Amino acid sequence: MKSSDSMDKRKVPMFYYVIGTIFLAAVLVVCVFSPSNERSVDRLHSDCLCAKGQGTTTEEMEKLHTNISVPPHESNDDNFALLLRKAATDDKRVIITDVNEAFAAPNSMLDLFLQSFHNGDNIGHFLDHLIIVAMDQKAFEKCNSVHPYCYLNEQPGINLSSEKVYMSKDYIDLVWSKVRLWQFTLEQGYSFLFTDVDVMWFRDPFRHISYYADMTIAADVFYGNSEDHNNNPNTGLVFAKPTRKNIEVMKYWREARERFPPMHEQLVYDNIKYELVSKFDLKVQYVSTEYWGNFCQPQKNFTKLSTFHACCLVGLETKFANLKGVTEEWKTYKSINHKS
């Protein structure tokens, strides 16, 4: 009788061990075979680690880490994914800009933008890693005539071809469309530097990016501290790493548009930047206007400038004329100094 009892007692822990092993196997199968459009590879890895007891999250962070990938109709853009693969550097970094018909017209902003790489200080090679996003068919055709990596990003039911009045509905739609592509780029595993097409490039702007930061953003007005969120952000130049955190930030940023319906993406970012810091521990670097210059806080010291942005100017003609003047100043500086 004692022998039988002891045998039964030994069977009980073995029973729980078998049940536990079956449960763990089932969880791992779910992790591995979940549909790809429901989780990114990064999240798949993290979720499986948590299932095996090798990682823990708070209830709040678990909620924030749910459903981080883009919807299927956005994530299945094979054409853009192919361009990313072709244009990326060896360390999976790309440069992205966008244009519509007005900005891509002959002898207009796109031409001036591309020329700036040739006029700059040994930065022509960056064109090999530039993707130009065309918002309409005419801009796409112009891009194809001057550059190898062009992507047509037409928005159904929206005409984005003409110059858009600042803060008009079409303008808002145009600027928000780029944030969707930023999120997609990160989910494909690429870091990006987005540059507005009305930014002139003189030197390598990557040299001003501190890689401790999750994101690096230009400033309209810079107050002296690169980590100070009181700096006025300008999303005409944005660098982001392909991390899960940044993917979640992009999604949260896009969803915040519904809370601020009249605002473009830059103003919404300015309204939620402290939320992003508290929810995601987002580390943001703002670059001094000494290096990423503009017309809001103009500091045209060509010994320091890497880029110059036509922000705080209204109208395509005004932007073009003023940037043309800055370009001529740069050429004069280079001819006098020979080396910058």
Side-chain angles (χ1 to χ4, degrees):
M1 197 65 183
K2 287 183 181 179
S3 175
S4 177
D5 287 346
S6 63
M7 287 294 289
D8 289 342
K9 288 177 182 178
R10 285 196 298 270
K11 289 179 182 177
V12 169
M14 179 62 71
F15 170 79
Y16 285 116
Y17 174 80
V18 172
I19 293 299
T21 302
I22 294 172
F23 175 77
L24 177 58
V27 171
L28 292 176
V29 167
V30 169
C31 281
V32 172
F33 293 102
S34 291
S36 59
N37 64 344
E38 293 179 1
R39 58 175 71 230
S40 67
V41 173
D42 195 19
R43 182 182 166 227
L44 175 64
H45 177 67
S46 174
D47 287 354
C48 289
L49 286 179
C50 289
K52 291 187 286 187
Q54 297 179 15
T56 57
T57 60
T58 64
E59 182 178 345
E60 179 63 20
M61 287 307 295
E62 182 121 3
K63 181 179 179 182
L64 291 173
H65 284 69
T66 302
N67 298 326
I68 62 171
S69 57
V70 291
H73 73 279
E74 296 179 353
S75 62
N76 292 330
D77 196 327
D78 294 336
N79 290 332
F80 195 67
L82 177 61
L83 282 178
L84 289 170
R85 290 195 295 272
K86 288 182 176 180
T89 61
D90 290 341
D91 58 352
K92 301 190 75 173
R93 184 175 63 185
V94 294
I95 302 166
I96 302 173
T97 192
D98 56 19
V99 294
N100 62 4
E101 180 183 352
F103 277 76
N107 300 313
S108 187
M109 198 63 73
L110 178 58
D111 289 329
L112 193 62
F113 172 75
L114 294 175
Q115 287 168 13
S116 75
F117 289 85
H118 298 294
N119 297 330
D121 184 17
N122 298 317
I123 58 172
H125 61 94
F126 284 128
L127 290 174
D128 296 332
H129 309 293
L130 170 69
I131 297 175
I132 299 175
V133 178
M135 308 305 295
D136 58 81
Q137 184 63 38
K138 289 287 187 181
F140 184 59
E141 292 171 3
K142 170 59 187 289
C143 178
N144 281 322
S145 70
V146 296
H147 191 68
Y149 304 130
C150 305
Y151 173 71
L152 180 60
N153 188 38
E154 285 184 309
Q155 304 297 302
I158 303 173
N159 178 11
L160 299 178
S161 61
S162 60
E163 181 183 358
K164 298 304 173 188
V165 177
Y166 181 71
M167 293 304 290
S168 66
K169 181 183 181 303
D170 283 350
Y171 174 86
I172 299 297
D173 289 333
L174 187 152
V175 296
W176 273 106
S177 67
K178 70 185 181 184
V179 184
R180 179 185 71 83
L181 284 180
W182 295 354
Q183 181 177 331
F184 179 82
T185 300
L186 296 176
E187 290 197 329
Q188 296 298 303
Y190 298 89
S191 61
F192 69 83
L193 176 60
F194 176 84
T195 170
D196 276 345
V197 76
D198 60 346
V199 175
M200 298 296 101
W201 285 45
F202 304 131
R203 296 185 180 89
D204 178 2
F206 289 99
R207 64 185 184 156
H208 303 299
I209 293 174
S210 296
Y211 284 86
Y212 81 90
D214 299 302
M215 291 176 58
T216 299
I217 301 178
D220 276 344
V221 180
F222 183 77
Y223 294 110
N225 182 347
S226 64
E227 298 179 27
D228 184 0
H229 288 286
N230 289 316
N231 292 310
N232 301 120
N234 188 299
T235 53
L237 273 173
V238 175
F239 175 82
K241 300 174 182 178
T243 61
R244 180 175 62 186
K245 180 193 296 187
N246 279 341
I247 293 169
E248 292 173 341
V249 165
M250 293 297 168
K251 182 179 180 182
Y252 190 87
W253 188 355
R254 292 175 62 203
E255 289 175 346
R257 180 183 183 182
E258 296 180 4
R259 290 192 276 144
F260 307 94
M263 295 185 182
H264 58 62
E265 95 295 346
Q266 181 173 299
L267 289 176
V268 170
Y269 170 81
D270 204 25
N271 276 271
I272 67 170
K273 57 190 177 185
Y274 293 106
E275 296 176 35
L276 296 176
V277 171
S278 63
K279 286 182 177 293
F280 302 103
D281 189 29
L282 185 70
K283 293 177 176 61
V284 181
Q285 173 203 8
Y286 300 93
V287 179
S288 170
T289 51
E290 281 188 307
Y291 308 119
W292 292 4
N294 60 45
F295 285 107
C296 306
Q297 191 181 33
Q299 302 186 59
K300 286 189 285 185
N301 182 346
F302 286 112
T303 64
K304 296 183 177 181
L305 277 175
S306 287
T307 62
F308 202 89
H309 190 187
C311 51
C312 292
L313 297 178
V314 178
L316 176 55
E317 289 186 8
T318 301
K319 287 174 179 283
F320 182 82
N322 280 272
L323 284 179
K324 187 79 171 174
V326 173
T327 299
E328 293 305 316
E329 290 180 57
W330 165 255
K331 289 179 180 178
T332 300
Y333 166 81
K334 280 199 71 178
S335 66
I336 293 173
N337 293 274
H338 301 290
K339 294 178 88 176
S340 53

